[in-house]
């Protein structure tokens, strides 16, 4: 019983539901207390122990319904639980299971042929007397599901991750259920050209079809989360400029998920501080009215200016995709990042912060690209930035510049960037081009790099997440 519950918890974890070892033990206690005989009761109890947010509860409901899509007899551990499940079948009335008692009372022509052939064949008679063929002949879906569940647990079907493993697990399950005996019996009947050959082949094919469907369902269930994670890993390491439009919605959701993770990691925590240094002058002055007795003490409080972040993004055609996701990242972290001011440029530069306060992030980014897209002129854009924000830069300001530094052979105005470097706390340059391309052609990156505290290649979500993570650490 516990192994099935562990498999279910592993499934939840593959769908990004965070479950600690302590919560796993709580879930096991819930399952032992409630039992497996009542589906709704078990579902509600496990949801209380494992789902902590509405989003996790939705994932839990989805996974529970699919994991326990078969009758819970597959997972019942006591005879009483199984009897209770037998009294409440979940299969539809037209599935054929409801007619089983009547069908079992009379032998079909196929069964008659098999029994005649088994009269002088001890091996075939042993096969007919066995549980597996009896379940197939009686169309006992519940018992067959139980057998498949036990075989699946024995071969580790819950570990299936790839489509190519389906055939491998199918063969393992069939061997575990005793299909080899049916194959041997079929070979003997073929040599004798017995009329019972076709009925036995038909039961073999039914078994294979049932097990194949079972493996397919388990693959869809178990591999769904792993495949989604594998796809996210591919998208996270693919250059943002190479992403196809059909993946944009998924990538944007991936950015939000990364941002939530960073927000939780760097959220401000309440700390207990000492009161600080005693303000002796104020304390003595306030004590004059009491003949110098210091009834009340006063403490010095140092007011710190909040840091600010200035994001300067090149939105020309070659870099627009990268700027889009940097801005999406930054504005998804409003709760933990310092105050963000955004600037966009190509041939000229302008502040676009108000767009993000007036529109959703995606809409604001579209407006930014439409308003400032075009050919690139870093020198002119740095001049515009100096007029707009140079006087606002101080020792608490971090400046992030996203661009490829390709200036179309124009004046780079390195003096302005050096002025920004001297005034600010740090200047970070993110370049989507490979480091090997820095300084080639019309790239001014090597010259600009001399006026930056930190410069890095950044062209996919993993690199972008790493840079933002470091930025949040520095701003603590």
């Amino acid at each position: 019983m516990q192994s099935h519950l562990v498999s279910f918890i592993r499934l939840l974890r593959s769908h990004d539901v965070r479950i600690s070892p302590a919560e796993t033990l709580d879930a096991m206690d819930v399952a032992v207390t409630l039992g497996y005989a009542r589906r709704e009761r078990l579902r509600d109890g496990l949801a209380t122990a494992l789902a902590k947010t509405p989003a996790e509860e939705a994932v839990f409901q989805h996974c529970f319904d699919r994991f326990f899509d078969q009758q819970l007899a597959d997972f019942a551990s006591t005879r009483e639980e199984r009897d209770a499940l037998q009294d409440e079948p979940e299969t539809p009335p037209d599935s054929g299971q409801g007619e089983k008692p009547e069908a079992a009372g009379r032998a079909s022509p196929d069964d008659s042929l098999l029994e005649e052939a088994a009269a002088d064949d001890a091996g075939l008679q042993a096969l007919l007397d066995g549980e597996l063929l009896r379940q197939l002949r009686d169309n006992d879906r519940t018992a067959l599901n139980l057998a498949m569940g036990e075989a699946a647990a024995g071969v580790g079907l819950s570990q299936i991750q790839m489509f190519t493993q389906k055939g491998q697990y199918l063969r393992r399950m069939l061997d575990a259920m005793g299909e080899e005996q049916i194959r041997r019996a079929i070979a003997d009947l073929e040599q004798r050209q017995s009329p019972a050959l076709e009925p036995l082949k038909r039961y073999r094919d039914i078994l294979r079809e049932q097990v194949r469907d079972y493996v397919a369902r388990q693959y869809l269930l178990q591999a769904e989360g792993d495949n989604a994670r594998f796809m996210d890993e591919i998208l996270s390491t693919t250059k943002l400029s190479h992403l196809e439009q059909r993946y944009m919605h998924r990538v944007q959701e991936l950015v939000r998920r990364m941002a939530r993770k960073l927000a939780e990691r760097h959220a401000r925590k309440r700390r207990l501080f000492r009161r600080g240094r005693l303000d002796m002058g104020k304390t003595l002055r306030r004590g004059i009215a009491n003949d110098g007795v210091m009834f009340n003490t006063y403490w010095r409080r140092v007011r710190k200016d909040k840091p600010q972040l200035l994001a300067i993004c090149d939105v020309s055609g070659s870099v627009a995709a990268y700027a889009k996701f940097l801005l999406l990242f930054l504005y998804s972290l409003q709760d933990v990042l310092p105050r963000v001011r955004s600037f966009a440029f190509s041939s000229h530069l302008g502040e676009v912060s108000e767009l993000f306060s007036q529109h959703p992030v995606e809409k604001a980014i579209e407006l930014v690209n439409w308003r400032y897209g075009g050919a690139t002129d870093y020198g002119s854009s740095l001049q515009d930035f100096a007029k707009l924000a140079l006087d606002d830069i101080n020792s608490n300001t971090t400046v992030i510049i996203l661009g490829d530094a390709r200036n179309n052979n124009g004046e780079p105005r390195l003096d302005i960037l050096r002025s920004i470097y001297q005034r600010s706390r740090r200047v970070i340059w993110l370049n989507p081009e490979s480091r090997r391309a820095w300084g080639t052609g019309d790239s001014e990156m090597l010259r600009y790099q001399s006026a930056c505290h930190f410069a890095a290649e950044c062209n996919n979500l993993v690199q972008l997440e790493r840079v933002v993570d470091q930025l949040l650490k520095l701003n603590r």
Side-chain angles (χ1 to χ4, degrees):
M1 179 176 68
Q2 290 184 351
S3 62
H4 294 304
L5 187 56
V6 169
S7 298
F8 176 59
I9 291 175
R10 187 186 303 116
L11 172 65
L12 292 175
R13 285 173 175 160
S14 72
H15 285 74
D16 296 324
V17 177
R18 296 167 301 173
I19 301 174
S20 67
E23 290 166 342
T24 300
L25 295 177
D26 290 342
M28 289 182 177
D29 290 339
V30 168
V32 170
T33 303
L34 299 180
Y36 287 82
R38 297 293 182 268
R39 181 189 183 97
E40 293 77 10
R41 186 172 61 181
L42 177 64
R43 180 194 61 203
D44 295 342
L46 291 178
T48 302
L50 300 175
K52 298 171 285 296
T53 66
E56 289 185 356
E57 185 174 3
V59 174
F60 173 88
Q61 297 290 348
H62 170 72
C63 292
F64 184 92
D65 291 340
R66 296 187 62 185
F67 188 83
F68 294 100
D69 61 345
Q70 299 297 315
Q71 291 188 12
L72 284 175
D74 290 4
F75 310 98
S77 60
T78 66
R79 182 179 301 275
E80 290 76 10
E81 289 178 347
R82 294 181 181 180
D83 291 343
L85 289 168
Q86 292 283 2
D87 294 338
E88 297 181 6
E90 296 185 8
T91 51
D94 59 349
S95 64
Q97 187 175 350
E99 300 176 0
K100 183 182 65 175
E102 181 182 353
R106 61 177 186 272
S108 68
D110 289 346
D111 292 340
S112 300
L113 291 175
L114 287 172
E115 291 170 358
E116 291 175 4
D120 55 353
D121 187 337
L124 182 57
Q125 185 61 54
L127 180 63
L128 294 180
D129 293 338
E131 288 292 323
L132 178 60
L133 204 60
R134 182 191 61 77
Q135 294 164 6
L136 293 171
R137 294 170 66 187
D138 294 344
N139 192 26
D140 191 343
R141 301 289 182 85
T142 300
L144 193 59
N145 284 335
L146 273 170
M148 288 190 293
E150 293 173 357
V155 303
L157 182 60
S158 61
Q159 303 295 326
I160 188 170
Q161 294 181 345
M162 303 179 64
F163 179 83
T164 53
Q165 294 177 300
K166 291 170 65 175
Q168 176 184 0
Y169 279 104
L170 171 63
R171 173 46 50 200
R172 289 181 181 178
M173 281 190 60
L174 289 172
D175 290 343
M177 295 178 69
E179 192 244 6
E180 183 180 358
Q181 298 178 358
I182 298 179
R183 295 201 308 269
R184 287 201 300 264
I186 289 176
D188 292 340
L189 293 176
E190 283 180 341
Q191 291 180 353
R192 293 185 293 167
Q193 296 183 348
S194 170
L197 175 62
E198 290 304 320
L200 191 58
K201 279 186 176 181
R202 189 175 300 112
Y203 286 128
R204 179 203 60 186
D205 294 342
I206 291 173
L207 174 63
R208 290 180 176 179
E209 182 180 358
Q210 294 283 336
V211 176
R212 186 180 296 110
D213 291 344
Y214 189 95
V215 172
R217 289 195 303 269
Q218 292 299 312
Y219 166 74
L220 292 176
L221 176 65
Q222 302 292 340
E224 181 181 20
D226 293 325
N227 288 345
R229 184 179 294 106
F230 178 67
M231 188 64 184
D232 288 345
E233 290 177 359
I234 293 177
L235 295 176
S236 298
T237 55
T238 300
K239 284 190 175 182
L240 296 173
S241 59
H242 294 171
L243 293 174
E244 298 181 19
Q245 185 62 36
R246 57 178 172 162
Y247 296 123
M248 283 303 169
H249 178 74
R250 184 172 191 145
V251 173
Q252 290 174 3
E253 179 57 33
L254 183 58
V255 169
R256 294 188 185 94
R257 193 157 65 242
M258 288 179 172
R260 285 196 299 269
K261 181 179 70 175
L262 292 179
E264 292 173 359
R265 181 184 303 168
H266 298 283
R268 295 184 181 273
K269 298 178 176 62
R270 293 184 177 181
R271 300 177 182 175
L272 296 177
F273 292 95
R274 295 180 180 179
R275 290 202 243 182
R277 299 178 64 183
L278 180 65
D279 190 341
M280 185 59 71
K282 188 174 182 179
T283 300
L284 290 174
R285 287 193 300 271
R286 295 298 176 89
I288 292 174
N290 306 312
D291 294 330
V293 179
M294 295 180 289
F295 283 106
N296 299 310
T297 55
Y298 297 88
W299 306 86
R300 290 180 180 175
R301 298 179 180 178
V302 179
R303 180 180 178 182
K304 293 184 178 180
D305 294 331
K306 292 184 178 180
Q308 67 172 337
L309 176 65
L310 305 183
I312 307 173
C313 298
D314 181 356
V315 293
S316 61
S318 59
V319 196
Y322 304 100
K324 172 180 180 178
F325 287 102
L326 173 63
L327 292 172
L328 182 59
F329 227 123
L330 296 180
Y331 279 90
S332 298
L333 287 166
Q334 290 285 5
D335 293 337
V336 292
L337 270 177
R339 186 167 61 94
V340 179
R341 292 177 63 188
S342 305
F343 302 84
F345 74 93
S346 53
S347 59
H348 64 284
L349 177 143
E351 184 169 1
V352 295
S353 304
E354 75 283 354
L355 294 178
F356 291 91
S357 62
Q358 298 170 1
H359 303 281
V361 176
E362 293 83 355
K363 180 64 176 178
I365 291 172
E366 292 180 6
L367 294 173
V368 168
N369 291 335
W370 172 77
R371 186 176 299 181
Y372 291 98
T376 310
D377 187 340
Y378 276 79
S380 175
S381 298
L382 285 173
Q383 284 182 311
D384 293 339
F385 178 76
K387 295 176 183 178
L388 290 173
L390 187 61
D391 293 338
D392 299 329
I393 298 176
N394 53 43
S395 59
N396 288 312
T397 302
T398 298
V399 179
I400 295 182
I401 303 174
L402 176 67
D404 57 9
R406 295 199 172 274
N407 198 32
N408 294 317
N409 299 313
E411 175 60 39
R413 294 307 306 267
L414 184 60
D415 58 313
I416 298 177
L417 186 59
R418 284 177 177 162
S419 179
I420 297 172
Y421 174 88
Q422 294 168 357
R423 291 167 176 256
S424 64
R425 182 179 181 182
R426 68 182 64 88
V427 176
I428 300 173
W429 193 299
L430 306 180
N431 194 323
E433 287 191 341
S434 170
R435 283 184 176 270
R436 291 185 292 271
W438 293 6
T440 62
D442 61 346
S443 173
E444 301 285 354
M445 189 60 212
L446 296 181
R447 299 176 65 185
Y448 284 140
Q449 186 178 2
S450 65
C452 297
H453 295 86
F454 175 73
E457 175 185 337
C458 182
N459 53 40
N460 59 51
L461 292 182
V462 170
Q463 295 172 340
L464 184 57
E465 181 188 22
R466 187 180 303 121
V467 170
V468 175
D469 187 22
Q470 292 298 321
L471 176 64
L472 292 172
K473 289 180 181 177
L474 295 173
N475 281 284
R476 278 184 171 180

